[in-house]
Amino acid sequence: RIARAIREHEVWVAVEDAAMGWVEIDADRVAGLYVAPTFGKDGVGSALLELAEGEIGRAGHAAARLEASRNALSFYLDRGYLHNK
């Protein structure tokens, strides 16, 4: 998954002694966001999402869109994303 993401889209990796997580951006879409479980409550996901939103905005898009798994839904809702049922 990550190899394809790197080939096809913009990917940012959070690193501190080891890879902590990554975010994949495809135009106005956060195509993927992953945080290693050991860093799940350290703000890595929030920082990566903020970085992605900034890059999406700098590219001229008015909003970011994404698809969330059920276990990540509250993470995005807490950050102002809307649930499109």
Side-chain angles (χ1 to χ4, degrees), residues 6-63:
I6 291 169
R7 280 192 313 273
E8 297 178 6
H9 303 124
E10 207 172 324
V11 175
W12 297 80
V13 180
V15 177
E16 184 176 290
D17 297 327
M20 300 184 298
W22 56 270
V23 64
E24 174 187 1
I25 305 165
D26 176 17
D28 68 339
R29 183 172 68 96
V30 178
L33 176 65
Y34 172 79
V35 176
T38 55
F39 301 103
K41 299 292 181 189
D42 294 342
V44 174
S46 294
L48 287 167
L49 182 60
E50 188 175 312
L51 185 144
E53 291 168 340
E55 291 298 315
I56 288 168
R58 279 187 281 288
H61 302 286

Side-chain angles (χ1 to χ4, degrees), residues 65-68 73 77 81-85:
R65 33 181 209 102
L66 55 83
E67 292 180 19
L73 185 58
L77 292 174
Y81 283 80
L82 304 175
H83 188 205
N84 185 9
K85 298 178 184 182

